[in-house]
Amino acid sequence: MGRIDTLLATMTIEEKIGQLNMVASTLAITGPGQLGDVREGIRTGRIGSLLNHWGADEVHAVQRLAVEESRLGVPLLLGLDVIHGHRTIFPVPLAEACLFAPDLWEKTARAAAEEATQDGVALTFAPMLDVARDPRWGRIVEGPGEDSWVASQMASAKTLGFQGQDLAAADSLAATAKHFCAYGAVTAGREYASVDVSERTLREVYLPPFSAAVAAGTAAVMPAFIDLAGAPMTANAPLLQGWLRRELGFEGVLISDYNAVAELMNHGVAADAVEAAALALKAGVDIDMTSDCYVRGLPEALKRGLVTMAEIDVSVRRVLDLKDRLGLFDDPYRRGSAWPHGVRDAERRELAREVGRRAIVLLTHRAAILPLPPETRRIALIGPLAAASREMLGPWASAGRAQDAVSILEGLKAALPQCRIDHATGVDIGGQDTEGISAAVDLCGGAEVVVLCLGEAAAMSGEASSRADLGLPGRQRELADAIFDLGKPVVVLLSSGRPLTLPWLFERADAVLATWFLGGEAGHAVADVLTGRFNPTGRLPLSWPRLVGQVPIFYRQRPTGRPTKAGEHYSSSYLDVPATPQFAFGHGLSYSRFTLLDFKCDPSSAKAGEFVEVSVTVANDSEVDGEATLFLFVHDLVASVARPVLELKGVRKIVLKARERGRATWGLSTGDLSFLGPNLNRVLEPGRFEIHVGQSADPAGLLTEVIELTP
Ligand code: BGC
């Protein structure tokens, strides 16, 4: 008998359920409820895993209780939300998505895994793969944006980065793909609200990133808090047991979200903790995070015949298997002892700076105000986000420390030592006091340029932080208007966890940059871009709305019988605002100017199984070296099911010197032209397809060729 069989055969029912019980540590709390003393539970084998407990000594201390003092010595599993870095904080995931660079996505996850495992952590509750098309939802900040293809690329990169080559290695962190699934589609963007999407949208948009995570070997998956058409995900057997386990063959661990098993009672599908526990377990949820329902409910559920011992055993085996794969049985203290802290710190900070500046999106740029000329001698740096180092870390910063974060003020000062930088806050981020505005305006008097730092506080996005108004919080608009009224050149830096609807600002500012929450190196990253040390390359992973009334908004729309046409009454549009976004998916300016020419699809017809080479020349028509980003979209013109007007199939980045030209090439497979047919089975239908390339999803900038798929 193997180790796990022997253990299973020896365990009491309490010890088995203990393995399925994850409890919050006394170090931090990330959901409702009380913190209790976990030591007794660990010693008696009633707690199999802990969340929010880190630090090599702290972890080894609790691990010793499990290994040396519990009857069977089963090691604990230590989980933590290592979302975008552990000690070194990288840009928030939505900002990282702007890179469209799987190699860097993987690198930041690897770096986070190295640091978190040094702190004894064995599992992260990441990556977050929720496609989100509604920026009212605060958790849009935690994910990859609106597109499923991008989310799938991120799923693989992050999973590989966290887990490394071998899950048992001392620096490998088990990944948890979350939140399964369609959480981003909560009604009206309201946190924890119900979700109702079609089976087609589920399969075309929300499931593919999870399939990519499973293909990349994710150790765990976390069901979302929400219900999907009346079936709460924590008890959603068809999707958990059916799709995930049977269809995809996922053999890892399912970990409930925080208290979600108990919340099945609030959802109205379980009368008591016993029914809640039985529903979740039968749906395949192996670990109950913090709700205590498995401990309280499973013994009674057994008695009532709602679950069987065999079903409990299956879950216990999966948990023990994961602990085994993590190497915990062989050496429970391996994480936390591998390397001393501090090794490669400088390298990781450099990575944070590189990823930070690549995440910045130059949204508008008039009058060639940027980069700031080297002879600039006086800058007024105004606004509540200018010296806000803590905010730069974003809403979920693991073990990141405010004192390690570089503010925009600090970054600019370091980059421009010859320049006088006057700083005033003007107003608070969300406060009502406007007294500081006149002093801020006065400070701009002698400045050559004003850099205005506006946006949200970090805590205004993330979990439980939906907003119905996506304007600037507090009195920031009054501050901005007063500054604009001076008639000076103004560059706006927007720090936020979501796109903000600010058409007036985009009209008045000379340049606006989306700087999201860039992490510990935020200030240096911003300074690199403002000074031209780095030419911006960030691209929007979502469509940026003009007004809240446009959301949900995304490029991958199906055609309508009455396509949007400006000035045409009976067309799919609004009376009061254009139907187009403020900025298209993929938008992002550069200090260089790129044009696309000589677009070819070769051959122009293909059969199933063949490839079409798609290529385009990119010309850097400017005197500035830069990096262009090209998007490849397809559109099936006539099919048995109406297909989206644009579907992303590939992204290329190309670095070009001033006046240089280069060619970007893709091998488009006929598989890229397949889709889910009327019965939701994958089909490849002969016919004509538009192939587009462009620098964003804005139809005005797309080059188009038509190819034919022949029978
Ligand atoms: C969140 C999860 C997170 C968990 C543990 C929940 O409230 O929804 O994303 O992993 O807490 O902190």
Side-chain angles (χ1 to χ4, degrees):
M1 260 204 317
R3 168 152 60 196
I4 289 171
D5 293 317
T6 315
L7 259 177
L8 258 176
T10 340
M11 284 175 139
T12 63
I13 174 72
E14 288 77 18
E15 283 164 338
K16 285 180 181 176
I17 295 171
Q19 288 306 308
L20 311 183
N21 185 27
M22 178 180 271
V23 169
S25 133
T26 39
L27 286 182
I29 183 161
T30 51
Q34 294 293 313
L35 295 169
D37 183 2
V38 295
R39 279 169 299 196
E40 197 45 30
I42 296 172
R43 275 198 202 97
T44 52
R46 304 302 192 266
I47 293 173
S49 47
L50 275 187
L51 94 141
N52 296 342
H53 194 88
W54 76 90
D57 294 343
E58 290 79 359
V59 165
H60 290 179
V62 290
Q63 196 63 284
R64 260 192 297 280
L65 295 178
V67 174
E68 292 168 26
E69 297 187 31
S70 78
R71 188 176 79 93
L72 296 172
V74 179
L76 284 172
L77 175 66
L78 278 297
L80 181 69
D81 291 281
V82 180
I83 307 291
H84 53 105
H86 179 63
R87 184 72 72 186
T88 308
I89 301 301
F90 299 105
V92 290
L94 185 62
E96 235 199 317
C98 300
L99 272 71
F100 289 90
D103 55 334
L104 286 168
W105 292 338
E106 185 176 336
K107 270 195 189 165
T108 54
R110 186 86 292 272
E114 287 172 6
E115 288 187 346
T117 51
Q118 284 172 26
D119 262 343
V121 181
L123 173 137
T124 174
F125 305 113
M128 195 276 214
L129 302 174
D130 296 312
V131 168
R133 295 165 164 192
D134 188 338
R136 289 173 298 187
W137 190 50
R139 302 200 83 167
I140 198 168
V141 68
E142 291 177 56
E146 75 172 51
D147 185 70
S148 188
W149 185 87
V150 175
S152 302
Q153 305 277 313
M154 196 175 250
S156 325
K158 289 291 175 198
T159 307
L160 296 172
F162 285 132
Q163 298 195 162
Q165 298 298 316
D166 170 15
L167 210 49
D171 62 353
S172 283
L173 197 56
T176 309
K178 75 182 188 187
H179 306 87
F180 185 73
C181 61
Y183 187 8
V186 282
T187 304
R190 184 165 40 85
E191 183 62 303
Y192 309 132
S194 186
V195 172
D196 210 328
V197 297
S198 69
E199 183 73 18
R200 170 168 301 278
T201 299
L202 192 67
R203 288 187 173 257
E204 286 187 0
V205 177
Y206 294 105
L207 293 181
F210 289 93
S211 167
V214 171
T218 188
V221 173
M222 180 188 290
F225 282 129
I226 44 102
D227 80 279
L228 192 52
M233 283 310 305
T234 308
N236 197 318
L239 278 168
L240 299 178
Q241 297 282 29
W243 188 78
L244 196 58
R245 293 218 191 271
R246 276 195 291 279
E247 242 181 89
L248 285 198
F250 173 64
E251 289 177 348
V253 168
L254 277 166
I255 307 177
S256 87
D257 205 343
Y258 206 107
N259 201 43
V261 178
E263 289 167 18
L264 289 174
M265 295 184 270
N266 295 347
H267 277 287
V269 296
D272 56 17
V274 178
E275 285 184 20
L279 280 174
L281 188 89
K282 282 188 102 70
V285 175
D286 305 303
I287 293 183
D288 170 6
M289 184 194 284
T290 71
S291 92
D292 209 33
C293 279
Y294 277 10
V295 170
R296 287 182 292 131
L298 283 182
E300 174 64 20
L302 264 175
K303 279 191 205 137
R304 288 192 207 163
L306 299 176
V307 296
T308 64
M309 189 61 97
E311 284 165 335
I312 293 177
D313 283 353
V314 168
S315 284
V316 177
R317 183 184 291 280
R318 285 199 202 104
V319 174
L320 295 176
D321 245 0
L322 176 58
K323 291 183 175 182
D324 196 27
R325 289 175 59 214
L326 281 162
L328 289 169
F329 285 106
D330 296 327
D331 178 5
Y333 307 108
R334 129 181 341 173
R335 289 178 187 76
S337 336
W339 303 307
H341 265 291
V343 175
R344 310 229 310 258
D345 272 3
E347 232 175 85
R348 285 192 283 263
R349 282 203 80 95
E350 198 41 50
L351 179 63
R353 182 171 183 160
E354 168 71 359
V355 174
R357 59 195 182 192
R358 286 185 166 273
I360 296 171
V361 183
L362 180 59
L363 295 171
T364 65
H365 188 200
R366 269 195 293 278
I369 190 179
L370 291 173
L372 297 173
E375 55 279 7
T376 309
R377 287 294 170 270
R378 199 156 163 193
I379 295 175
L381 183 68
I382 307 294
L385 273 309
S389 33
R390 167 65 194 89
E391 305 299 337
M392 299 297 110
L393 296 180
W396 213 321
S398 193
R401 293 178 296 216
Q403 69 265 30
D404 296 337
V406 180
S407 71
I408 295 168
L409 175 61
E410 289 161 337
L412 274 184
K413 278 192 168 162
L416 299 167
Q418 79 292 355
C419 191
R420 171 170 162 186
I421 300 178
D422 296 318
H423 162 242
T425 301
V427 294
D428 288 341
I429 297 176
Q432 291 305 318
D433 191 349
T434 52
E435 251 175 51
I437 294 184
S438 65
V441 168
D442 290 347
L443 206 71
C444 298
E448 292 150 60
V449 59
V450 182
V451 177
L452 191 51
C453 303
L454 305 173
E456 298 181 313
M460 291 176 179
S461 62
E463 187 176 350
S465 299
S466 289
R467 293 180 65 205
D469 176 350
L470 300 183
L472 287 171
R475 308 296 283 268
Q476 294 184 63
R477 178 164 185 176
E478 279 160 72
L479 171 68
D481 279 333
I483 304 280
F484 288 135
D485 287 346
L486 289 172
K488 294 218 164 232
V490 180
V491 175
V492 175
L493 303 177
L494 266 187
S495 298
S496 62
R498 54 160 71 82
L500 298 176
T501 51
L502 309 168
W504 58 273
L505 181 99
F506 298 120
E507 232 160 69
R508 297 200 77 182
D510 295 289
V512 181
L513 297 102
T515 57
W516 317 107
F517 297 113
L518 294 176
E521 286 289 302
H524 290 143
V526 164
D528 286 345
V529 167
L530 293 187
T531 58
R533 238 187 99 177
F534 185 79
N535 184 358
T537 60
R539 300 309 191 93
L540 292 176
L542 41 69
S543 309
W544 187 298
R546 298 167 192 269
L547 280 181
V548 166
Q550 290 182 307
V551 301
I553 186 165
F554 50 96
Y555 82 83
R556 193 187 177 276
Q557 300 204 20
R558 281 193 283 267
T560 131
R562 297 187 175 184
T564 308
K565 202 164 179 192
E568 187 148 327
H569 187 66
Y570 291 104
S571 82
S572 176
S573 48
Y574 299 104
L575 290 179
D576 51 354
V577 67
T580 52
Q582 183 87 54
F583 305 110
F585 172 90
H587 172 78
L589 303 171
S590 156
Y591 299 150
S592 313
R593 209 177 40 256
F594 302 107
T595 43
L596 306 185
L597 46 141
D598 196 17
F599 177 39
K600 281 208 181 81
C601 292
D602 186 29
S604 58
S605 81
K607 285 200 194 59
E610 293 179 351
F611 281 84
V612 173
E613 189 185 88
V614 178
S615 61
V616 69
T617 294
V618 192
N620 182 349
D621 289 337
S622 71
E623 301 305 331
V624 189
D625 300 353
E627 185 179 303
T629 307
L630 294 320
F631 298 91
L632 169 69
F633 300 101
V634 304
H635 175 206
D636 191 340
L637 286 165
V638 180
S640 53
V641 176
R643 301 304 301 149
V645 287
L646 292 177
E647 265 188 286
L648 185 64
K649 295 293 170 180
V651 177
R652 285 277 180 276
K653 291 185 156 272
I654 177 161
V655 176
L656 294 170
K657 296 235 172 291
R659 300 282 159 199
E660 196 189 1
R661 289 182 169 199
R663 200 145 173 92
T665 310
W666 292 265
L668 185 73
S669 79
T670 51
D672 289 327
L673 307 177
S674 69
F675 63 97
L676 301 181
N679 302 324
L680 297 175
N681 297 324
R682 191 152 285 279
V683 295
L684 189 60
E685 292 180 355
R688 282 154 32 93
F689 294 80
E690 278 178 347
I691 312 296
H692 306 276
V693 292
Q695 300 190 63
S696 76
D698 179 358
L702 294 176
L703 300 184
T704 306
E705 285 287 316
V706 175
I707 64 165
E708 178 115 19
L709 181 67
T710 54

